[in-house]
Amino acid sequence: MDQPSQPLLKMSGITKTFLGVQALKGVDFDLVPGEIQCLIGENGAGKSTLMRVLAGALRPDAGTIAIGGDSFAALDPMLGHRVGIGMIYQETDLVLPLSVADNIFLGHEITRGGSILRKGDMRPVVAELMLDLNLHFSPDTLVRDLGPAQRQLVQIAKALSRKIRILVLDEPTAALTDNEIGYLFSLLQRLKAQGIGMVYVSHRLNEVMEIADRVTVMRDGERVVTLPIGAVTKDGLIAAMVGRQVDTDARTASHRTDKLVLSVDNLSVRGQFSGVSFDLRQGEILGLAGLVGAGRSEVLECLFGVTTPDSGRITLFGKEVRIGSPIQAIRLGLGLVPEERRESGLVLGRSVEENIGFPILRRLSRWLVIQRSRLAGVAADLIGSLSIKTPSARQQVATLSGGNQQKVVIGRWLAANTRILLLDEPTRGIDVNAKFELYQVIRGLTAKGVSVVMASSELPELLALSDRILVMAFGRTVAELDAATTDQVEIMRHAVVRPQETTAGEAA
Amino acid sequence: MSIMTNTLAKTTARDARRLLADHAILIILLLFIVFAAIVSKGRFIQIGNIAVILFQCSVIGVLALGQTFVMLVAGIDLSVTTVAILAAVVMGAGGSEEQQQMNLAGILPFLGLVPSIVVAIVGAALIGLVNGLAVVTFRIPAFISTLAMSLALSGLAMLMTGGSPIHYPNAFFSAFGAAKLLGLPSTVYVFAILALACAFFLTRSHIGIMLYAIGGNPRAAGLAGIPVRTVTVLAYVVCSLLGGIAGFLFLARTGSVAPTSGGGLLLSTIAAVVVGGVSLSGGKGTIQNAVIGTLLLAGLGNLMNILLVSPHLQDAISGLIIVLAIMMNVRLNPAS
């Protein structure tokens, strides 16, 4: 395996840019027959983008993809099927109301005259596949009635029903229990024996160490290194994932005081997170670190009243509170800047002014009539103090850049006199300069006594801004670190490990 | 420098496009009036004819105002015309002793003129409350829940009079319908005042801003502290309330009503709103344009009557115009 002679797949110089952000910067990637190659990296490192290029879902800006003897500038899903690429996504792409058999043959049904299904001919093929995969349920079972693990296996059956040479698995174990994972692995070993090359995308280093032949680490849209599994250690992989360029100068002065403003005790939402506890002090920035799916957004949404906790206590400014809705949360002095700015943060078709004014519309109106001049005054103040770049306060917010849009969402909470600001990935999809402006805005808020809880996947950002960092993994808080003394490696080491006390079923 | 000029040119082009999109329907109405005046040899624009058009469209116009509220929050109210008919039945049968004697099998007692009007209008608002709660609380698609409501209300209207049509409502209604000021019938004034009130409400009240926000992005609106459910229910209440008022105008205009009246009203109402550019997916549209849409369709019907176009062909032409208008709106307002 050390010196693969005849690659099955060779991607060279793959480049892809989204809205001015380089997601892939000339990535090379190759796969040999009968190999399981793990692809790891932090959130946003470019793994998914690279795999979507391979699946034909994205067209690269530059680079070539060679499969067998053929070379392509880009693939499309049909072509991908023809050259033998099978994809298994984290979120299943099965059609829930259809049966297992129908799903397996979806898109390449055996037909008579091109339109009449020949169920009789498909059935034995499905039965054989399912027997092969050790699936003991009827092919007529509706996918809706299957559990997550079974659905995952049906997806594999679906991929195998076409003649595939390359199989891509994106976080296939996210929904599986330990037993099921063991079963999946033995299945992968059998596929390997048949000469199928597999790309296994995962965050879970334990699994990587167990199953990989080679490991490729990506970071910031580049391939950092590809090594045979014998040559790596877990710590080595973590170091490669996060890089070493922690910018300690970027740390800014803290405005943390001793006054306790928020205390969360043993908070749980079934199926999302459990036993989350932390304190927040006035002027403090508490960072929330963790991988995608660790439960950070869910904790913030629960604090903001979007979901109701099943157990646990929230104490705000010394008083125990129940937060049943965002409106209540706002009244109590909380504000949420959600992760998806365009989907959840803004009403894109409305003006900057209105988007800023949403939480205080009632306050700005006398009887029913909105006092436009007061709204304009509030908006003008914030456009000035946050230096939001917009032609006017009446401008449609959709036309602003990402950074300025985000400032509008933050400005909204300043207008509402928010005391505790909950930020969820505040700088995602924002260019570098705008990021630094946002950092200053956030830091400026704490100087005025606002406290911040900030979930971010960008570790340098967390390290530079936070006073303390809470690490979450699998729906639990696993570590609380002092941002001044910790580093990216330590954070990642906590984030990638499944907590001991959690059983697999609970975390899923 | 060249980038700046480029951006500037782009902005100007976009503004021009916006302006055109915002006022397209007004431009079309003006062009239509010119066209109609020419092909009818001036008859279309005689004061008397204009008054007839306005008189004819006052009921549909008020219904269109209500429908605009609901469509702004990405809903639809298929029961609003039935609400109008039911309200007219309650006012007509409950407000007239003479009519009571005709409704042998009807369950509605004599209420008196003013009480029957109050019952009809308040009842209409309550129906809106039920519609709104069904959509918000039980998450039944508005299309289904209001259709079911419409069926139930039709049945209720039949029960009230025992199926008898109402030919002898209180004389007040006909008198109101016949009253004129400056050559225009009173119902036109009611429509105009309601339209102004609705336009003012949508653009100047904080609830108006909330309606647009909810229609544009309900999730973001909720996370920004807007009471999405309450305001959505309110839209249905306003719609039904206006339906009740439209029922009053219907009775005043025609002097009679049957539980089975108003068959074509619903489609005309929705067509008027959609031709006016109010988006079925919510968040976009204005009262002005809904009114213009109403006027345009009423004017088109009137012109075809003047030109003695056969009624069957009239329907086909109206259908074609509606499709063209929607295509134009989709073109000018691409989903962002």
Side-chain angles (χ1 to χ4, degrees), chain A residues 227-240:
Chain A
L227 290 168
I229 197 69
V232 298
T233 61
K234 255 201 260 183
D235 280 352
L237 287 179
I238 290 172

Side-chain angles (χ1 to χ4, degrees), chain A residues 149-202:
Chain A
Q150 290 170 318
R151 288 183 193 179
Q152 197 71 263
L153 293 169
V154 170
Q155 278 207 297
I156 295 179
K158 182 181 167 185
L160 295 180
S161 72
R162 301 176 188 257
K163 291 276 163 275
I164 58 162
R165 290 187 283 174
I166 299 168
L167 183 61
V168 179
L169 303 109
D170 188 2
E171 297 270 357
T173 55
L176 304 190
T177 63
D178 288 343
N179 267 341
E180 291 162 343
I181 292 173
Y183 183 71
L184 175 70
F185 282 6
S186 66
L187 176 66
L188 296 187
Q189 295 296 348
R190 273 166 45 210
L191 297 180
K192 183 175 155 156
Q194 295 169 23
I196 293 174
M198 281 166 277
V199 185
Y200 188 101
V201 182
S202 183

Side-chain angles (χ1 to χ4, degrees), chain B residues 25 65 195 198-200 203 212 276 285-295:
Chain B
I25 190 71
L65 297 178
C198 290
F200 185 83
T203 52
Y212 281 103
T286 62
I287 290 292
Q288 292 91 299
N289 284 350
V291 169
I292 293 172
T294 308
L295 295 177

Side-chain angles (χ1 to χ4, degrees), chain B residues 261-324:
Chain B
S261 297
L265 271 184
L266 178 64
L267 278 182
S268 308
T269 302
I270 293 176
V273 177
V274 171
V275 165
V278 180
S279 163
L280 281 164
S281 47
K284 271 187 199 141
T286 62
I287 290 292
Q288 292 91 299
N289 284 350
V291 169
I292 293 172
T294 308
L295 295 177
L296 187 58
L297 286 187
L300 182 68
N302 177 275
L303 176 66
M304 290 191 291
N305 280 334
I306 291 176
L307 299 179
L308 301 174
V309 176
S310 107
H312 307 301
L313 191 56
Q314 284 197 16
D315 282 351
I317 292 174
S318 298
L320 187 69
I321 299 283
I322 291 168
V323 170
L324 285 176

Side-chain angles (χ1 to χ4, degrees), chain A residues 252 285 337-338 341 385-389 401-411 414 421 423-446 452 454 456 458 461 464-465:
Chain A
T252 48
I285 299 179
V337 176
R341 182 171 60 247
S385 65
L386 300 181
S387 48
I388 299 173
K389 289 184 198 70
S401 72
N404 285 301
Q405 286 183 348
Q406 196 67 299
K407 285 183 186 172
V408 170
V409 184
I410 293 176
L414 297 188
L421 196 57
L423 303 171
D424 197 355
E425 302 285 358
T427 62
R428 170 165 297 169
I430 288 174
D431 67 62
V432 177
N433 287 331
K435 272 183 191 178
F436 280 102
E437 279 190 48
L438 276 177
Y439 296 159
Q440 281 173 354
V441 167
I442 294 167
R443 190 48 94 187
L445 290 181
T446 61
V452 176
M454 179 173 79
S456 174
E458 304 221 5
E461 172 176 304
L465 277 176

Side-chain angles (χ1 to χ4, degrees), chain B residues 17-313:
Chain B
R17 206 186 159 84
R18 257 259 68 77
L19 208 67
L20 186 65
D22 288 349
H23 298 291
I25 190 71
L26 179 61
I27 296 166
I28 288 175
L29 178 68
L30 295 176
L31 291 175
F32 170 76
I33 290 173
V34 173
F35 169 78
I38 294 169
V39 296
S40 68
K41 303 196 175 66
R43 282 174 64 194
F44 185 81
I45 49 167
Q46 281 165 9
I47 299 293
N49 191 53
I50 298 286
V52 167
I53 296 174
L54 292 176
F55 185 56
Q56 282 169 345
C57 73
S58 52
V59 172
I60 289 178
V62 171
L63 291 169
L65 297 178
Q67 198 66 258
T68 303
F69 274 76
V70 173
M71 279 172 53
L72 276 182
V73 292
I76 193 161
D77 187 351
L78 300 182
S79 70
V80 67
T81 50
T82 327
V83 167
I85 297 303
L86 181 64
V89 165
V90 169
M91 291 183 224
S96 157
E97 278 175 295
E98 203 179 343
Q99 180 63 35
Q100 279 293 316
Q101 289 155 14
M102 318 296 292
N103 307 345
L104 295 177
I107 59 166
L108 186 79
F110 176 70
L111 300 169
L113 176 63
V114 175
S116 69
I117 293 175
V118 171
V119 166
I121 301 290
V122 172
L126 287 176
I127 292 165
L129 185 66
V130 173
N131 278 338
L133 289 175
V135 169
V136 163
T137 312
F138 301 108
R139 300 185 180 280
I140 306 171
F143 191 83
I144 301 298
S145 59
T146 60
L147 186 63
M149 176 60 86
S150 179
L151 275 173
L153 296 180
S154 293
L156 192 58
M158 294 295 278
L159 281 176
M160 290 206 162
T161 64
S164 319
I166 289 161
H167 291 305
Y168 308 100
N170 194 301
F172 164 76
F173 292 102
S174 309
F176 186 93
K180 284 192 178 180
L181 182 66
L182 302 174
L184 285 175
S186 55
T187 55
V188 174
Y189 288 99
V190 174
F191 171 40
I193 290 167
L194 289 174
L196 286 173
C198 290
F200 185 83
F201 185 80
L202 283 183
T203 52
R204 300 293 169 81
S205 79
H206 68 274
I207 295 177
I209 298 179
M210 288 176 174
L211 281 165
Y212 281 103
I214 292 167
N217 187 342
R219 181 172 160 78
L223 288 176
I226 289 175
V228 175
R229 293 152 64 97
T230 312
V231 174
T232 303
V233 170
L234 187 75
Y236 282 89
V237 172
V238 169
C239 179
S240 244
L241 182 65
L242 288 165
I245 296 173
F248 176 91
L249 297 180
F250 187 96
L251 197 57
R253 202 190 82 189
T254 57
S256 71
V257 60
T260 51
S261 297
L265 271 184
L266 178 64
L267 278 182
S268 308
T269 302
I270 293 176
V273 177
V274 171
V275 165
V278 180
S279 163
L280 281 164
S281 47
K284 271 187 199 141
T286 62
I287 290 292
Q288 292 91 299
N289 284 350
V291 169
I292 293 172
T294 308
L295 295 177
L296 187 58
L297 286 187
L300 182 68
N302 177 275
L303 176 66
M304 290 191 291
N305 280 334
I306 291 176
L307 299 179
L308 301 174
V309 176
S310 107
H312 307 301
L313 191 56

Side-chain angles (χ1 to χ4, degrees), chain A residues 301 304 306 326-327 330 338 342-347 350 354 358-359 361-362 365 367-370 372 396 412-413, chain B residues 14 18 200-201 203-207 209-210 212-213 216-217 219-228 283 336:
Chain A
E301 287 190 349
F304 196 60
V306 178
I327 294 177
I330 292 164
R342 302 173 67 87
E343 286 74 22
S344 313
L346 294 164
V347 180
R350 307 305 294 177
E354 287 183 8
F358 285 153
L361 284 178
R362 195 199 291 256
S365 62
W367 296 101
L368 277 175
V369 181
I370 188 89
R372 284 275 175 190
Q396 233 189 40
R412 166 191 301 164
W413 299 124
Chain B
R14 191 162 47 207
R18 257 259 68 77
F200 185 83
F201 185 80
T203 52
R204 300 293 169 81
S205 79
H206 68 274
I207 295 177
I209 298 179
M210 288 176 174
Y212 281 103
N217 187 342
R219 181 172 160 78
L223 288 176
I226 289 175
V228 175
S336 49

